[in-house]
Amino acid sequence: MRYAEKIRMPHSPAARSAAAAGLALAVGLTATPALATPATRTAGTAAQSGLDRYYDQRLSWGTCAQSPDDTTGRDLDAAGVQCANVTVPLDYAAPRGRTITVAVSRLKATDTRHRIGAILLNNGGPGGTAVESPPVIRTAMKKVGARYDIVGFDPRFVGRSTPLDCGWPVSFPWFSAGAGRAGFDRHVALSKSLAAKCRATNASVLPHVTTRNTARDMDVIRGALGERKISYLGYSYGTYLGTVYTQMFPGRYDRVVLDGAIDPRAYGPRLLKDAVRENEQALSAWAVWAAGRHTTYGLGRTRTAVLATIDRVMAKAARGPLTVGTAPDIFRLDDTHIPTLLFMGVADDTDASRAFLAEQVSVLSKATKNQQSALSPKFTEQLRFALTGEGSASGSAQMAIICGDVPAPRNPELYWRDIERARAAHPLFGPLTENIGPCAFWNAPRENPTRIRHDAPALIVAATGDPRTTYRGSVALHDQLPSSRLLTLKGANRHALYGEYGNACVDGKVNRYLETGRLPGKDEVCGK
């Protein structure tokens, strides 16, 4: 899941969206109910449950620009994308009650003679938007893109879809406990206050901000589009959403690509505690890269020296916050903030991302010597997002989804014990990934997490060094879905690949599947 990536504020699908990602294998799709008429819903089911008016709604497609200042909307309009709102029930158990809208965008197939169908997009998060993504994915799909209606949507309470905002003073509450108990206690108080703010401002909707309800919305979108089956491309958390859809609506999907997959058994508020090893490996690889560029960044001439620079930064920040930036953009960072920046920075092993992390560490290293330097616009934007309420809506929605899906332990002392145990072996990232969050103070979810009961023939795409949704998670999901195939990129410390990383082997194999609908006969491997 890309929840740990939210702070990067990126603009592409793979870079978008940071805190968290029993299932019994089973039976196959032979028990799928028959479909009705040119029917886009299971016969009788929608009518009997009162959902027919949602499945049968006619969408009003039009401009995507919502105002003169809506640059995203204007770009979509220029690319030939149209937008609409899909009406869905707030509570699927009470379909005649309150409704909300889900924003969708569509770039229609141009090769209508060979049209395959519609493909629905999710960029992860949770809480990531995808209304803006159809033109990007059309490019990634190359010639097969012309044969699909490419459909982006913002999940319920995200982006343009009846957005939720708890009015938080921070955009995303995912920080380290730091070196001692004081930092942990501050985070306990912060987490408790953020959960209380969401209850005070959005109590009526919080129980309905869940992945299972988003999957239900996806099926309504499928019906409103007039599609018997819909294809799907999901990154990171989007792989969990896609898996949930296959389990809730077997027989209603066509081609499914899950890029950077999550083991559904591990999904929840504490998902990233299992990714420490991969992040330490990614940080070590970055340190080798930075050492080779000591003349540019001044962080050390060897991997060991670069990592020692980080240790010095952390030790100084533990004694008191480091001041970075120049007026008017001045920020104070302590040892609870810096591990988050490092964790974000190693999610991508491209030169551009590594250079950005080196820039950040260089600024922090200079700050330990009271040397101030101007921040780049990108670093300033990142710190504003991390340390102010500028992105409160994004963080609020993300936490609401995670907390609404899977319960978290409620006793702060359990977290503290886990932090102390992790600290010895993982002093940098252990106190971050084991730390408490708002889910510890959230109301209990109304539904149990989704269990895998149906096989699903999906294409799972994964990098061996993925620092967010680990390769182990993709292997585990593959094991639970025997008809799936695993496409592995060896040697990359990268989260999310297709159309983003520039690996021709990965892109070509995904596009072949999207074109033919045939999975490879066996698992396949690509080289970096």
Side-chain angles (χ1 to χ4, degrees), residues 197-508:
K197 266 187 169 292
C198 277
R199 278 194 297 274
T201 56
N202 292 278
S204 65
V205 302
L206 289 181
H208 311 292
V209 189
T210 68
T211 296
R212 287 178 64 85
N213 279 331
T214 297
R216 293 178 177 111
D217 295 344
M218 287 168 55
D219 203 55
V220 170
I221 292 171
R222 176 196 59 78
L225 291 172
E227 302 288 339
R228 279 181 169 274
K229 295 184 178 183
I230 196 159
S231 294
Y232 179 80
L233 167 62
Y235 295 91
S236 193
Y237 159 81
T239 69
Y240 177 70
L241 173 61
T243 301
V244 169
Y245 184 79
T246 68
Q247 301 307 300
M248 294 179 68
F249 301 98
R252 303 191 199 177
Y253 56 88
D254 185 10
R255 295 153 210 204
V256 176
V257 178
L258 306 176
D259 190 327
I262 294 170
D263 177 357
R265 297 168 299 191
Y267 168 76
R270 307 189 80 192
L271 173 68
L272 290 176
K273 66 184 293 185
D274 295 326
V276 171
R277 184 180 68 193
E278 286 79 3
N279 280 275
E280 289 177 339
Q281 291 171 348
L283 184 65
S284 180
W286 167 82
V288 172
W289 182 94
R293 294 157 179 80
H294 175 73
T295 54
T296 301
Y297 301 107
L299 301 177
R301 298 184 183 278
T302 66
R303 179 188 70 88
T304 300
V306 173
L307 295 176
T309 296
I310 290 176
D311 289 342
R312 287 193 295 273
V313 168
M314 285 293 295
K316 181 75 170 179
R319 294 193 292 270
L322 304 178
T323 301
V324 300
T326 55
D329 295 309
I330 297 177
F331 304 92
R332 291 166 62 80
L333 304 170
D334 63 25
D335 61 336
T336 69
H337 304 124
I338 292 168
T340 304
L341 297 179
L342 297 170
F343 199 91
M344 301 309 103
V346 297
D348 183 349
D349 64 2
T350 60
D351 282 348
S353 290
R354 284 177 162 174
F356 182 43
L357 179 58
E359 170 202 330
Q360 296 173 68
V361 177
S362 179
V363 167
L364 293 169
S365 180
K366 291 175 182 177
T368 66
K369 306 165 189 173
N370 296 320
Q371 299 174 9
Q372 298 304 112
S373 53
L375 305 180
S376 69
K378 185 176 179 181
F379 194 13
T380 298
E381 182 183 24
Q382 183 189 54
L383 291 176
R384 282 179 183 158
F385 187 85
L387 302 176
T388 75
E390 187 174 276
S392 169
S394 177
S396 300
Q398 189 168 80
M399 278 287 93
I401 295 166
I402 297 168
C403 302
D405 280 343
V406 180
R410 305 190 74 82
N411 182 3
E413 294 309 312
L414 179 148
Y415 295 87
W416 178 246
R417 290 193 296 270
D418 287 348
I419 289 166
E420 289 291 85
R421 277 195 294 268
R423 197 187 299 279
H426 310 290
L428 181 62
F429 290 141
L432 172 67
T433 61
E434 299 286 354
N435 204 10
I436 198 169
C439 294
F441 305 99
W442 219 263
N443 291 347
R446 288 196 176 181
E447 293 188 84
N448 291 325
T450 301
R451 304 301 185 193
I452 290 185
R453 308 293 186 192
H454 306 281
D455 192 4
L459 181 61
I460 300 170
V461 184
T464 52
D466 188 332
R468 289 297 167 272
T469 56
T470 67
Y471 185 67
R472 288 173 284 118
S474 290
V475 171
L477 179 61
H478 177 40
D479 288 344
Q480 294 166 66
L481 302 174
S483 294
S484 66
R485 293 293 181 268
L486 180 61
L487 173 57
T488 299
L489 178 62
K490 296 185 69 173
N493 299 321
R494 164 70 187 213
H495 180 56
L497 301 170
Y498 171 66
E500 291 288 324
Y501 196 54
N503 186 278
C505 176
V506 168
D507 291 353

Side-chain angles (χ1 to χ4, degrees), residues 32 75 82 89 106 150 181 267 353 376 389 403 455 483 499 512:
T32 303
D75 289 345
Q82 290 186 307
R106 180 177 65 180
I150 303 175
R181 180 75 193 213
Y267 168 76
S353 290
S376 69
C403 302
D455 192 4
S483 294
R512 189 174 306 121

